[in-house]
Amino acid sequence: MSSGAGSFPWEVDVVDGVEGARSFQTSGSAYDRFMGRYSRQLAHGFADAAGVAAGQRVLDVGCGPGALTTVLAERVGVTAVSACDPSPLFLDECRTRVPGVDARPGRAEQLPYGDDEFDAALAQLVLHFVSDPRAAAAEMRRMVRPGGAVAACGWDFAGGMEMLQSFWDAAQALDPDAPAESRVMRFGKPGEIVELFEAAGLVDLVESDLGVSVLYTGFEDLWAGFMEGVGPAGSYAVALPEDRRRELRAELERRLDVGDGPFELAAVAH
């Protein structure tokens, strides 16, 4: 870990060569085929870990198409939930899926709400992609009343997220310079979010792991998600020339060795 005034390891670029924010300007259905099937499952355990319960007012930071927003609305009622995201397409989808939710355009680094408005603020799979995580943590702290909860989670890219790890292992076998998320993404290791929150002045910090498992109908079901061009992996795959994309598909299929039938892939978030 680096040290010194103002120097933290999360000040590096989000993804070298594959900018995360641009790769999420897509439809909610495309996101669902790639990552939504994971984030919908994760949302339940994440809300539990944050202690979300009836009677609270809750903010979903970086709501995407509404996986976590839906779970929050089920727990506290839609009128007690607010959500924000910089993607207009995602916001439209979130409003469709959670009618009546207060969904506003906004970045995690500059949230469109007043001080102490919420009992809890949650950021699910968001910190990997924000340009200034320290500002985002400070904003979440600002939004939440004293004694409330601030929570964030991110995938463990180094072996804890089978779908992405298998993809990047295949990509790097063909191109050692492929920008694997385990090498370039922040907040994929234990302790990194804790350190960020400590620097923001948050206290009583608790870290835990959340596991999910996703069923695919076959390899084509998995590959179709990458072909939506969502996130760093999808952006990388669709940008390849057709011949190299075919090679990548074959290498990934060989490594997974799942045959023709259904299979499951597991994922862990910190």
Side-chain angles (χ1 to χ4, degrees):
M1 172 169 300
S2 61
S3 60
S7 177
F8 292 90
W10 49 77
E11 293 179 340
V12 299
D13 291 339
V14 174
V15 182
D16 186 10
V18 185
E19 170 59 43
R22 288 198 301 271
S23 64
F24 287 101
Q25 298 301 321
T26 185
S27 69
S29 59
Y31 178 84
D32 282 349
R33 283 188 288 273
F34 178 64
M35 188 59 70
R37 58 183 86 195
Y38 288 91
S39 58
R40 286 193 300 271
Q41 289 191 41
L42 181 64
H44 294 279
F46 185 39
D48 287 341
V52 175
Q56 295 180 333
R57 188 175 179 209
V58 185
L59 173 63
D60 183 358
V61 178
C63 63
L68 177 61
T69 314
T70 301
V71 171
L72 298 177
E74 291 170 352
R75 295 192 178 204
V76 303
V78 68
T79 59
V81 177
S82 295
C84 66
D85 198 279
S87 166
L89 290 173
F90 279 173
L91 280 178
D92 288 344
E93 187 69 24
C94 184
R95 294 182 185 115
T96 298
R97 297 181 183 186
V98 191
V101 70
D102 173 21
R104 306 182 189 181
R107 299 168 63 242
E109 299 92 333
Q110 192 172 8
L111 295 168
Y113 305 96
D115 296 355
D116 302 337
E117 281 199 37
F118 299 96
D119 298 292
L122 289 74
Q124 175 171 288
L125 308 179
V126 172
L127 291 180
H128 298 308
F129 303 105
V130 300
S131 59
D132 188 345
R134 289 186 299 180
E139 278 289 89
M140 292 176 71
R141 180 188 179 193
R142 180 180 68 82
M143 299 290 97
V144 174
R145 64 167 177 79
V150 174
C153 65
W155 293 126
D156 180 345
F157 290 120
M161 209 296 178
E162 287 186 291
M163 183 263 284
L164 291 175
Q165 187 64 45
S166 298
F167 174 87
W168 289 116
D169 284 349
Q172 290 191 308
L174 302 171
D175 174 13
D177 295 325
E181 287 164 277
S182 61
R183 295 193 312 185
V184 300
M185 296 289 273
R186 301 158 294 180
F187 308 111
K189 299 176 182 178
E192 288 186 304
I193 297 176
V194 169
E195 182 187 359
L196 174 69
F197 279 3
E198 284 178 337
L202 294 164
V203 297
D204 299 328
L205 297 169
V206 177
E207 182 176 53
S208 59
D209 290 346
L210 303 171
V212 299
S213 182
V214 167
L215 177 67
Y216 292 92
T217 59
F219 182 80
E220 182 57 38
D221 186 22
L222 171 68
W223 185 249
F226 291 111
M227 290 300 95
E228 295 292 351
V230 177
S235 296
Y236 177 83
V238 299
L240 290 172
E242 186 175 352
D243 59 337
R244 290 183 59 196
R245 192 160 55 244
R246 285 197 301 267
E247 291 176 357
L248 176 57
R249 176 189 169 123
E251 179 64 17
L252 177 58
E253 190 169 13
R254 183 190 69 79
R255 285 173 174 268
L256 287 174
D257 191 25
V258 292
D260 298 327
F263 63 94
E264 290 189 30
L265 295 179
V268 174
H270 300 301

